[in-house]
Amino acid sequence: SISQDIDHILETQSALAIDLGGTNLRVAIVSMRGKIVKKYTQPNPKKYEDRMQLMLKMCTDATRDAVSLNCRVLGVGVSTGGRVNPQEGVVLHSTKLIEEWSSVDLRTPIADVLQLPVWVDNDGNCAALAEKKFGHGKGVENFVTVITGTGIGGGIIHQNELVHGSTFCAAELGHIMVSLEGPQCSCGSRGCIEAYASGMALQKEAKRLHDEDRLNVDGMDMKLTEPITAAHLINAAKLGNCEADAVLNKASTALGVGIVNMLHIVNPSLVILSGILASLYQAPVQHIISERALVSAKNIKVVTSELEEPALLGAASMVLDYATRRTY
Amino acid sequence: SISQDIDHILETQSALAIDLGGTNLRVAIVSMRGKIVKKYTQPNPKKYEDRMQLMLKMCTDATRDAVSLNCRVLGVGVSTGGRVNPQEGVVLHSTKLIEEWSSVDLRTPIADVLQLPVWVDNDGNCAALAEKKFGHGKGVENFVTVITGTGIGGGIIHQNELVHGSTFCAAELGHIMVSLEGPQCSCGSRGCIEAYASGMALQKEAKRLHDEDRLNVDGMDMKLTEPITAAHLINAAKLGNCEADAVLNKASTALGVGIVNMLHIVNPSLVILSGILASLYQAPVQHIISERALVSAKNIKVVTSELEEPALLGAASMVLDYATRRTY
Ligand SMILES: [Ca+2]
Ligand SMILES: [Ca+2]
Ligand SMILES: [Zn+2]
Ligand SMILES: [Zn+2]
């Protein structure tokens, strides 16, 4: 029957997804249904040449495996840190998290080697696309995804489409400022929500407290040799360390006020938090919205993402959505 | 010839524009070319019933005059303070600036009396539409208009269309927060750019300085009886009053940081400042952008509006654009 045919197509049609992050370079075969069929992970090389070479090698390996896994690869989707021109498939500019990563044409070499169409967007935008296709954003016309990990990023869906902006700098949500002064940010400005609420920012505060011997509390099990991280700060706060708690409060308030700014600018109907700190921030951000947003925005919901691999799923969705549009 | 016919149509086709502001209720006959053919101004009544009655009376007078002025009125456009549902033509909610102005259906009574199609949007959005059709926004796909008057408002054009948002609360630009604490805002929150940089905010600071006898400087001509306004503060700063200058600096910085937030969220290619304080803020805001925006947004231009009547022209443009789409 036709429905069986479509089921079969949905199971065999798939995308190659690439995730170029600060730490790892990952490739995955992703099915039309959003299942990660096979995944490959390597440390992301520091040098441009090595990175390109490894990426292409991982892609050819994956396409070969795809054949034996009965996956028909329709195209390649790339999620990368940095600002991206998705029309050209070019990384325009990246922060220090990924070195030697400015003015890099990703589409041409990948398309040449694999003979497949290639889509590229930044990780924040890919996360939003992943939510739209497979997560809380399904069927939601206007929403914002905020990723709170090492840094803070995100993507904006307006009328079912990503907002890229005039210089592909829209949804640079980490650099929304909530203070005229405030802590120094890696971008050169001050008072950005990334400088208050990112994993990096919390780690910095944890180290400061630790150096002043004010982090450790009774019941906290800390080895002398282990590096101080945001997790220690969170743990200390849970165990009653007031200073650690104050740092987290400030971070939550900053993130919440930044998100209220998004509500007053694009007014989405939903805010999706993803990344490692999402569950920490969900309740306080919802509270700040109820306190500081305008009446008509007070009831906008904040939810925590349930996707395990937003970058890879979002990268895949660029391929799968395009394929779907053409096929049916 | 056809081109003469079109010229004639363009000269006779016109819109009735209504501007419902905090102080005045105005009606105008506006030609297709953006010429204000005739304008009517009355104080905006404080009571809902009086306001509606006066508005309908002014409209019927204006449509009668339009006939003798050889203007064919195609429809009615309404610009109003407050949040508006433009699909329904309803004012959802307004600040204290316009009293008794919540859940008001403007479309039905106007359409009933005048037997014409009616469009309604808020003043900030109308200002953006006016720039799009008649001002600096002509041919610009993505731009933001920020109105710095008594309060701060604005509108966002994304891909040639207004952004209204999920609860018609998009582009509430006055309530972008640039401080976790900061001055109290009329919206109930703190640190909004309206609380730093609006005419109201400057007036409040002027009064404070005046009360402490620190406003007046040599060469400043102030009558004892005249009310203290933002203009006194600006004048004092020009004449070398350091404290007045510091207040303006802080206001400019707050507005600039708020506008950088807009750039990092929707990334327009142009920022248009309008309202009475626009020329005061243009240069400092451009400077703050160059200092605090991401590399890819640093070069976004800030210009001062050249439109004399953004609200009326924007209201008219809703009618004229729709008529144009249908006619040609
Ligand atoms: Ca982004
Ligand atoms: Ca507005
Ligand atoms: Zn920053
Ligand atoms: Zn406010």
Side-chain angles (χ1 to χ4, degrees):
Chain A
S1 75
I2 287 175
S3 87
Q4 278 174 324
D5 286 353
I6 289 176
D7 277 355
H8 181 69
I9 290 169
L10 289 174
E11 259 142 49
T12 61
Q13 288 198 340
S14 52
L16 220 60
I18 305 176
D19 174 29
L20 287 148
T23 313
N24 289 324
L25 166 47
R26 304 186 309 154
V27 171
I29 304 164
V30 181
S31 80
M32 187 64 91
R33 293 263 163 79
K35 207 186 120 203
I36 293 181
V37 179
K38 187 157 184 179
K39 189 161 68 178
Y40 312 76
T41 305
Q42 294 285 342
N44 195 348
K46 301 278 172 227
K47 299 225 160 292
Y48 164 78
E49 304 259 315
D50 299 344
R51 186 179 302 140
M52 291 301 279
Q53 208 182 336
L54 177 62
M55 181 183 70
L56 294 170
K57 167 81 166 62
M58 287 168 81
C59 284
T60 42
D61 289 355
T63 37
R64 199 178 36 235
D65 291 352
V67 178
S68 57
L69 289 162
N70 196 28
C71 291
R72 197 157 72 82
V73 175
L74 301 168
V76 183
V78 186
S79 165
T80 173
R83 273 178 287 291
V84 170
N85 176 339
Q87 278 134 43
E88 308 282 337
V90 167
V91 183
L92 299 169
H93 184 265
S94 182
T95 59
K96 281 172 277 181
L97 274 178
I98 310 181
E99 290 163 71
E100 306 191 1
W101 209 233
S102 290
S103 306
V104 175
D105 176 357
L106 284 172
R107 177 175 290 158
T108 309
I110 299 172
D112 282 354
V113 169
L114 301 183
Q115 295 294 307
L116 286 168
V118 177
W119 288 264
V120 185
D121 214 326
N122 78 36
D123 42 13
N125 288 348
C126 284
L129 290 176
E131 297 296 340
K132 178 83 186 144
K133 194 167 178 71
F134 302 114
H136 288 302
K138 236 184 282 179
V140 183
E141 228 178 293
N142 303 299
F143 70 90
V144 167
T145 300
V146 182
I147 311 159
T148 50
T150 311
I152 291 182
I156 300 171
I157 298 284
H158 173 69
Q159 294 179 343
N160 297 310
E161 302 281 347
L162 279 173
V163 176
H164 283 106
S166 65
T167 56
F168 309 106
C169 168
E172 279 291 346
L173 305 181
H175 306 287
I176 293 173
M177 290 171 274
V178 293
S179 171
L180 299 182
E181 292 91 22
Q184 190 73 44
C185 182
S186 62
C187 73
S189 186
R190 295 181 155 276
C192 298
I193 58 175
E194 182 165 295
Y196 280 104
S198 66
M200 276 186 305
L202 296 186
Q203 183 181 34
K204 200 174 152 190
E205 289 296 290
K207 281 180 175 160
R208 184 181 58 78
L209 286 178
H210 181 72
D211 287 350
E212 296 169 5
D213 212 10
R214 282 147 61 200
L215 184 62
N216 214 339
V217 284
D218 276 358
M220 205 164 126
D221 179 28
M222 252 175 78
K223 284 156 208 81
L224 277 170
T225 52
E226 83 189 339
I228 307 299
T229 67
H232 292 108
L233 187 82
I234 295 164
N235 196 17
K238 268 189 199 142
L239 292 168
N241 181 326
C242 294
E243 285 181 277
D245 197 55
V247 168
L248 291 183
N249 262 328
K250 187 109 181 192
S252 303
T253 304
L255 181 64
V257 166
I259 288 175
V260 171
N261 285 346
M262 300 171 206
L263 305 187
H264 292 169
I265 293 177
V266 287
N267 187 25
S269 63
L270 180 70
V271 176
I272 303 173
L273 295 182
S274 71
I276 190 154
L277 299 167
S279 61
L280 175 75
Y281 287 131
Q282 186 273 330
V285 165
Q286 186 78 71
H287 179 70
I288 294 286
I289 291 174
S290 74
E291 269 192 332
R292 301 190 64 158
L294 294 170
V295 176
S296 28
K298 264 191 203 315
N299 296 317
I300 292 167
K301 279 271 161 312
V302 180
V303 297
T304 304
S305 173
E306 282 164 5
L307 300 178
E308 273 172 32
E309 293 284 5
L312 288 173
L313 289 178
S317 85
M318 296 188 283
V319 179
L320 301 173
D321 272 0
Y322 187 76
T324 312
R325 268 179 224 169
R326 294 210 313 183
T327 315
Y328 308 114
Chain B
S1 76
I2 286 174
S3 85
Q4 278 174 323
D5 285 352
I6 290 175
D7 278 353
H8 181 69
I9 289 169
L10 289 175
E11 259 142 49
T12 61
Q13 289 197 337
S14 52
L16 219 60
I18 305 175
D19 174 29
L20 287 148
T23 312
N24 288 322
L25 166 45
R26 304 185 310 154
V27 171
I29 304 164
V30 182
S31 81
M32 187 63 91
R33 292 263 163 81
K35 208 187 118 204
I36 293 180
V37 180
K38 187 157 184 180
K39 188 161 68 179
Y40 312 76
T41 305
Q42 293 287 340
N44 195 349
K46 301 279 173 227
K47 299 225 160 293
Y48 163 79
E49 303 259 315
D50 300 344
R51 186 180 301 140
M52 292 300 281
Q53 207 182 338
L54 178 61
M55 181 184 73
L56 294 170
K57 167 80 167 64
M58 288 169 80
C59 284
T60 43
D61 289 354
T63 38
R64 197 177 41 235
D65 291 353
V67 177
S68 57
L69 290 162
N70 195 28
C71 291
R72 197 158 71 84
V73 175
L74 301 169
V76 184
V78 186
S79 165
T80 173
R83 272 178 287 291
V84 170
N85 176 339
Q87 278 134 44
E88 308 282 337
V90 166
V91 182
L92 300 169
H93 185 264
S94 182
T95 59
K96 280 172 278 182
L97 275 178
I98 311 181
E99 289 164 72
E100 306 191 0
W101 209 233
S102 290
S103 306
V104 175
D105 176 359
L106 284 172
R107 177 174 289 156
T108 308
I110 299 172
D112 282 354
V113 168
L114 300 182
Q115 294 293 308
L116 285 168
V118 178
W119 288 265
V120 185
D121 213 327
N122 78 37
D123 42 13
N125 288 348
C126 284
L129 291 176
E131 296 296 341
K132 179 83 186 144
K133 194 167 178 71
F134 302 114
H136 289 303
K138 237 186 281 180
V140 183
E141 226 177 294
N142 304 299
F143 69 90
V144 167
T145 300
V146 182
I147 311 159
T148 50
T150 312
I152 292 183
I156 300 170
I157 298 283
H158 173 69
Q159 294 180 342
N160 297 309
E161 302 281 347
L162 278 174
V163 176
H164 284 106
S166 66
T167 55
F168 308 107
C169 171
E172 279 291 345
L173 305 180
H175 305 289
I176 293 172
M177 289 172 273
V178 293
S179 171
L180 299 182
E181 291 90 25
Q184 190 73 43
C185 182
S186 63
C187 73
S189 186
R190 296 182 154 275
C192 298
I193 58 175
E194 182 165 294
Y196 280 103
S198 66
M200 276 185 305
L202 297 186
Q203 183 181 33
K204 201 174 152 191
E205 289 296 289
K207 281 181 176 161
R208 184 181 59 78
L209 287 177
H210 181 70
D211 287 351
E212 298 168 4
D213 212 11
R214 283 146 59 199
L215 184 63
N216 215 339
V217 284
D218 276 358
M220 204 165 129
D221 181 27
M222 252 174 80
K223 285 156 208 83
L224 276 171
T225 51
E226 86 190 336
I228 307 299
T229 67
H232 292 109
L233 187 83
I234 295 164
N235 196 17
K238 269 189 198 142
L239 293 168
N241 181 324
C242 295
E243 286 182 278
D245 197 54
V247 167
L248 290 183
N249 262 327
K250 186 108 183 192
S252 304
T253 303
L255 181 65
V257 167
I259 288 175
V260 171
N261 285 346
M262 299 171 206
L263 305 186
H264 292 170
I265 293 178
V266 287
N267 187 25
S269 64
L270 181 69
V271 176
I272 304 172
L273 296 182
S274 70
I276 191 152
L277 299 168
S279 61
L280 174 76
Y281 287 131
Q282 187 274 330
V285 166
Q286 186 78 71
H287 179 69
I288 294 284
I289 290 174
S290 73
E291 271 192 331
R292 301 191 64 160
L294 294 170
V295 176
S296 27
K298 266 192 200 316
N299 296 318
I300 292 167
K301 279 270 161 316
V302 180
V303 297
T304 303
S305 173
E306 282 164 4
L307 299 178
E308 273 171 34
E309 293 284 6
L312 286 172
L313 289 179
S317 85
M318 295 188 284
V319 179
L320 302 172
D321 272 1
Y322 186 77
T324 312
R325 268 178 225 171
R326 294 211 311 184
T327 316
Y328 308 113

